[in-house]
């Protein structure tokens, strides 16, 4: 790793349009006075060389020097102090001191998975203590740059605070684009980038000037930095249709003596009613569990082979699979268990056989329309929801719980260690899949994070992602503040912001968001953060307002003409009408009132989302029949059927208080009309947020 001298870095970045102070260098204090003769005080002196990466910490910076002579004297004192610490500078940089302003940090590092990442934040104490920063993956757009500044908690300092003048935000945006935009500094560095940092950039009414610059590269000197970076290797193009709808399946690992995972998968395919050619691989036995056997994968005449043998044997099995398009290795014990050599050998075997490898350490594929399964029992009905998961167990839970709630899946792929087939590849396939409308992701290590970013950006289908390990150890902090403030969690948040996907934090929220996006996929709701909440009176409405406000949504007031119409319905007698709107809901109330009230409101204000909530407990505390609750659900469904540009969401609170079967009946009734159902406001808020971020309703 090479550390470039500050003055060389500043000379180089000025060619990208980044303003830097006027300055000069000198090899020693004696020559510095002459070097500084043409500069206008006040001046700054800095020493540079080995051991001086953090100059301030080393005492290698002096400010407010009133003359060239004072600068030379300061350099001499600095040299003596550094010498006492056995540090010998290569030279000294003297510059004109920039006028005071708001200090901003702009930096970039190369993330191991996602490539170059840009950071911007407020400098000084804001960087050191409060970590008030924002991230984006490079290259950024002007919209990205402005969004980064908007995310800063201290943004008011840039706009002018307590009578202070506003900074030139356009100049700061230009700095961000010069560093992280197309054709900018980061792109020019290419794979040579390790870390780059401007800290601080001083921003004022007249512009933005980088007064310190730090660059760490892999090896190249500054004069070679502008060379064309090496291109990313091209990803193989694979048609994955036969992965999800194989004409034949071979299972390796079934036994006549010690039934194991291979036998389990044979029975899964039988229970699912697989209609293609199903064979087991065994060298001597003619059949296992009623399934015919072939002696090896060689000449097995299938599209998909499932391997469930010990890790040490998997590579040999895969070498026999030439002519089979896809081989899935269920077995674990590879890189995830500290055995990278076994995984490398497995990948080499797949390449030699000319097959695409799914896994290792994964459960396989689920596709009701194509007959694929890795779960017991009959398959669910085909649907429009696809999932890519690095966890087979979690994918199985999403399928089973989701189908229990009424969701239907098109294609689910588990990829485990992703040694060959990556989530990014499958995402590109699903983007063009006519049978898929909504995509869910569960990822831990995407292997090709940059490819994932590039696959997500042009994607027009809504995506919801659950990421494991976001709260664990972040990326290693290297030499800069930037390196210390870029970690797993923040990079994923940056990717979500740029790609327009929704990040969730639980399996239940993943299922809930996929449900809403699927049911409302064809609804062209207006953009914007506005929501209308309507339900029974009491604290629930107040808490609902808190939940949706925290989620970034706006409960805008009801327009005056609408309130007049609502009073005509008998609402608001003796009180104001507001959002959340309180209406009578219960066993004695008119179930049609919710439909009539919302219809009147939407005639005057186009809310994109209406959240209607009920308290199931009240229906059975003050009544003895499920019919009033079902009648209310039918009214909500009728409301959704008459609205083409509004998403209706139903929250049934305290549903455990309903008799057995009632919650299922409510959910089924609502789904018939395209209304998703949730048990609490928090789950609904996550799903509604996903809807607003989707292609039909980006907030």
């Amino acid at each position: 790793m090479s550390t470039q001298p500050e003055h060389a870095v500043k000379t180089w970045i000025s060619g990208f349009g980044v303003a830097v102070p006027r300055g000069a260098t000198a090899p020693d204090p004696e020559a510095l006075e002459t070097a500084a003769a043409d500069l206008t005080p006040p001046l700054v002196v800095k020493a540079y060389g080995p051991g001086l990466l953090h100059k301030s910490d080393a005492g290698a910076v002096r400010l407010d020097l009133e003359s060239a002579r004072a600068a030379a004297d300061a350099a001499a004192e600095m040299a003596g102090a550094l010498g006492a610490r056995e540090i010998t500078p290569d030279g000294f940089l003297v510059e004109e001191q920039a006028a005071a302003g708001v200090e901003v940090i702009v930096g970039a590092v190369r993330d191991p998975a996602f490539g170059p990442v840009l950071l911007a934040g407020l400098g000084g104490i804001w960087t050191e203590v409060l970590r008030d920063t924002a991230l984006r993956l490079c290259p950024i757009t002007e919209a990205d740059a402005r969004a980064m500044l908007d995310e800063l908690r201290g943004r008011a300092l840039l706009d002018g605070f307590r009578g202070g003048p506003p900074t030139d935000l356009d100049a700061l945006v230009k700095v961000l684009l010069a560093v992280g935009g197309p054709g900018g500094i980061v792109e020019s560095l290419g794979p040579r980038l390790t870390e780059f940092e401007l800290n601080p950039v001083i921003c004022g009414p007249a512009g933005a000037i980088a007064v310190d610059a730090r660059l760490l590269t892999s090896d190249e000197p500054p004069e070679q930095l502008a060379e064309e970076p090496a291109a990313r290797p091209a990803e193989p193009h694979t048609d994955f249709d036969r992965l999800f709808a194989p004409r034949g399946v071979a299972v390796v690992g079934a036994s006549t003596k010690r039934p194991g995972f291979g036998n389990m998968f044979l029975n899964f395919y039988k229970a699912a009613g697989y209609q293609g050619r199903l064979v087991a691989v065994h060298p001597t036995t003619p059949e296992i569990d009623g399934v015919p056997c072939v002696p090896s994968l060689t000449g097995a005449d299938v599209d998909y082979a499932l391997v469930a043998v010990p890790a040490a044997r998997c590579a040999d099995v895969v070498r026999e699979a030439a002519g089979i398009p896809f081989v899935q290795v269920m077995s674990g014990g590879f890189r995830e268990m500290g055995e990278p050599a076994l995984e490398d050998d497995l990948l080499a075997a797949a390449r030699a056989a000319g097959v695409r490898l799914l896994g290792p350490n994964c459960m396989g594929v689920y596709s009701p329309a194509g007959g694929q399964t890795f779960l017991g029992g009959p398959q669910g009905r085909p649907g429009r929801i696809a999932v890519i998961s690095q966890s087979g167990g979690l994918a199985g839970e999403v399928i089973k719980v989701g189908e229990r709630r009424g969701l239907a899946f098109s294609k689910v792929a588990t990829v485990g260690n992703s040694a060959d087939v990556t989530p990014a590849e499958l995402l590109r396939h699903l983007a063009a899949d006519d049978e898929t409308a909504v995509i869910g992701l569960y990822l831990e290590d995407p292997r090709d994070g940059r490819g994932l970013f590039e696959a997500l950006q042009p994607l027009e289908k809504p995506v919801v992602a659950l990421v494991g390990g976001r709260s664990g150890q972040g990326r290693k902090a290297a030499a800069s503040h930037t390196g210390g403030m870029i970690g797993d969690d923040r990079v994923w948040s940056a990717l979500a912001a740029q790609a327009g996907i929704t990040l969730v934090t639980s399996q239940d929220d993943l299922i809930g968001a996929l449900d809403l996006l699927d049911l409302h996929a064809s609804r062209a709701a207006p953009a914007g953060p506005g929501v209308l909440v309507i339900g029974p009176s009491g604290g629930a409405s107040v808490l609902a307002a808190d939940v949706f406000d925290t989620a970034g949504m706006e409960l805008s007031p009801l327009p005056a003409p609408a309130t007049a119409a609502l009073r005509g319905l008998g609402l608001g007698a003796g009180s104001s009408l507001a959002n959340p709107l309180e209406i009578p809901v219960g066993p004695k109330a008119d179930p049609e009132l919710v439909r009539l009230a919302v219809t009147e409101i939407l005639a005057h204000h186009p809310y994109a989302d209406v959240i209607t909530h009920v308290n199931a407990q009240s229906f059975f505390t003050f009544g003895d029949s499920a019919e009033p609750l079902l009648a209310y659900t039918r009214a909500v469904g009728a409301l959704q059927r008459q609205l083409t540009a509004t998403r209706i969401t139903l929250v049934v609170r305290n549903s455990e208080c309903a008799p057995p079967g009632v919650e299922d009946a409510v959910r089924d009734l609502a789904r018939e009309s395209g209304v998703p159902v949730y048990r609490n406001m928090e789950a609904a808020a996550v799903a509604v947020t996903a809807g607003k971020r989707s292609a039909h309703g980006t907030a």
Side-chain angles (χ1 to χ4, degrees):
M1 186 168 65
S2 301
T3 304
Q4 312 301 336
E6 180 182 341
H7 61 278
V9 177
K10 284 180 172 175
T11 299
W12 182 63
I13 66 174
S14 65
F16 291 88
V18 178
V20 298
R22 290 181 65 226
T25 60
D28 50 53
E30 291 75 17
L32 193 136
E33 182 174 5
T34 300
D38 293 333
L39 302 179
T40 301
L43 303 176
V44 178
V45 171
K46 305 177 184 180
Y48 62 86
L52 294 173
L53 187 59
H54 296 288
K55 292 182 284 291
S56 297
D57 294 344
V61 179
R62 300 290 175 84
L63 307 174
D64 299 314
L65 303 170
E66 294 301 327
S67 66
R69 179 69 258 166
D73 291 342
E77 293 175 6
M78 189 185 299
L82 292 172
R85 300 174 58 184
E86 298 184 347
I87 298 175
T88 302
D90 287 344
F92 296 87
L93 171 63
V94 57
E95 293 179 324
E96 295 177 348
Q97 184 168 316
V102 179
E103 295 187 0
V104 173
I105 179 175
V106 177
V109 300
R110 178 168 297 282
D111 181 89
F114 292 97
V117 179
L118 182 72
L119 173 144
L122 296 181
I125 188 173
W126 300 93
T127 299
E128 299 283 354
V129 179
L130 300 182
R131 301 169 68 87
D132 187 13
T133 56
L135 271 62
R136 292 294 186 273
L137 278 66
C138 299
I140 66 164
T141 64
E142 180 176 343
D144 291 328
R146 296 189 184 278
M148 291 173 78
L149 300 179
D150 287 342
E151 289 176 16
L152 301 178
R153 299 192 302 276
R155 166 60 192 264
L157 296 174
L158 295 171
D159 294 330
F161 186 68
R162 291 191 173 181
T167 62
D168 184 349
L169 286 178
D170 290 340
L172 180 54
V173 167
K174 288 180 180 177
V175 172
L176 292 173
L177 289 170
V179 176
I185 291 167
V186 168
E187 193 169 284
S188 295
L189 287 167
R192 294 179 291 273
L193 170 69
T194 299
E195 297 187 30
F196 173 79
E197 186 173 280
L198 304 177
N199 185 24
V201 177
I202 297 181
C203 303
I209 183 168
V211 300
D212 189 61
R214 180 181 300 142
L215 173 62
L216 281 73
T217 61
S218 55
D219 48 22
E220 302 295 345
E223 61 269 18
Q224 297 182 23
L225 292 177
E227 291 181 359
E228 189 71 20
R232 288 178 68 236
E235 190 175 77
H237 175 72
T238 299
D239 183 348
F240 287 101
D241 284 346
R242 290 301 172 197
L243 174 67
F244 294 104
R247 291 165 297 188
V249 173
V251 176
V252 184
S255 172
T256 58
K257 297 178 181 178
R258 298 179 62 185
F261 285 113
N263 301 74
M264 179 181 73
F265 277 96
L266 285 177
N267 288 313
F268 284 172
Y269 279 105
K270 290 165 60 181
Y274 178 65
Q275 297 298 305
R277 168 177 162 83
L278 178 63
V279 297
V281 175
H282 195 282
T284 59
T285 300
E287 62 89 20
I288 295 176
D289 296 340
V291 176
C293 290
V294 296
S296 77
L297 285 178
T298 302
D301 190 27
V302 295
D303 292 325
Y304 182 80
L306 189 154
V307 179
V309 300
R313 291 179 50 203
C314 287
D316 289 338
V317 172
V318 172
R319 288 187 182 96
E320 299 176 351
I324 298 175
F326 301 100
V327 176
Q328 177 238 327
V329 173
M330 177 199 172
S331 314
F334 294 89
R335 193 176 302 272
E336 84 284 358
M337 295 298 291
E339 297 288 348
L342 278 179
E343 189 164 310
D344 292 343
D345 188 32
L346 180 66
L347 181 57
R351 298 273 166 81
V355 305
R356 296 308 307 274
L357 174 70
L358 204 68
N361 187 34
C362 72
M363 293 295 288
V365 175
Y366 181 79
S367 176
Q372 277 282 44
T373 189
F374 60 87
L375 298 168
Q379 291 181 302
R381 60 187 173 85
R384 302 179 301 174
I385 300 172
V387 176
I388 302 168
S389 175
Q390 287 191 278
S391 166
L394 185 137
E397 292 176 32
V398 169
I399 294 167
K400 286 298 188 181
V401 174
E403 289 182 343
R404 175 69 178 78
R405 296 182 187 177
L407 280 67
F409 296 88
S410 59
K411 298 170 174 67
V412 178
T414 69
V415 293
N417 295 7
S418 304
D420 180 28
V421 175
T422 66
E425 276 190 273
L426 291 170
L427 191 63
R428 277 189 280 273
H429 175 79
L430 294 173
D433 178 34
D434 292 337
E435 296 175 352
T436 295
V438 181
I439 301 170
L441 302 174
Y442 173 73
L443 302 173
E444 295 167 357
D445 172 11
R447 282 296 178 98
D448 181 14
R450 174 58 48 165
L452 182 71
F453 174 56
E454 293 171 355
L456 283 168
Q457 282 194 306
L459 192 62
E460 296 182 355
K461 297 176 182 179
V463 177
V464 184
L466 173 62
V467 180
R470 291 177 66 198
S471 62
Q473 180 180 356
R475 307 301 184 196
K476 278 188 177 179
S480 69
H481 295 103
T482 302
M485 287 185 287
I486 292 181
D488 296 346
D489 182 64
R490 308 193 71 203
V491 173
W492 281 107
S493 296
L495 180 146
Q498 287 173 274
I501 70 172
T502 299
L503 285 182
V504 296
T505 58
S506 72
Q507 174 188 301
D508 195 64
D509 283 341
L510 176 63
I511 295 170
L514 292 173
D515 192 13
L516 182 141
L517 288 168
D518 181 32
L519 290 175
H520 291 315
S522 62
R523 223 173 289 284
V531 296
L532 170 65
V533 178
I534 181 170
S537 61
S541 288
V542 176
L543 294 175
D546 291 341
V547 168
F548 285 96
D549 181 70
T550 300
M553 281 168 258
E554 178 183 320
L555 282 79
S556 52
L558 304 181
T563 60
L566 292 173
R567 293 191 189 281
L569 294 174
L571 298 174
S575 64
S576 62
L577 295 169
N579 184 10
L581 177 64
E582 296 182 356
I583 65 169
V585 178
K588 308 301 182 184
D590 179 3
E592 286 292 310
L593 191 55
V594 63
R595 185 180 64 82
L596 297 173
V598 171
T599 300
E600 291 289 357
I601 293 168
L602 294 181
H604 301 282
H605 185 89
Y607 288 98
D609 288 276
V610 175
I611 297 89
T612 174
H613 64 98
V614 298
N615 176 12
Q617 170 266 324
S618 69
F619 278 86
F620 298 98
T621 297
F622 303 106
D624 55 8
S625 168
E627 178 52 34
L629 179 55
L630 298 178
Y632 181 88
T633 304
R634 285 190 286 269
V636 171
L639 174 65
Q640 182 65 90
R641 287 194 298 274
Q642 79 182 46
L643 300 173
T644 59
T646 300
R647 294 178 289 252
I648 308 297
T649 299
L650 175 60
V651 178
V652 182
R653 297 181 292 107
N654 305 317
S655 58
E656 60 268 32
C657 294
V662 172
E663 183 179 10
D664 287 342
V666 168
R667 192 183 299 277
D668 292 344
L669 266 179
R671 290 186 64 85
E672 286 177 7
S673 302
V675 177
V677 179
Y678 301 92
R679 283 187 162 192
N680 55 65
M681 294 294 182
E682 289 78 7
V686 171
V688 171
T689 298
K692 288 186 175 296
R693 291 181 66 86
S694 73
H696 296 295
T698 303

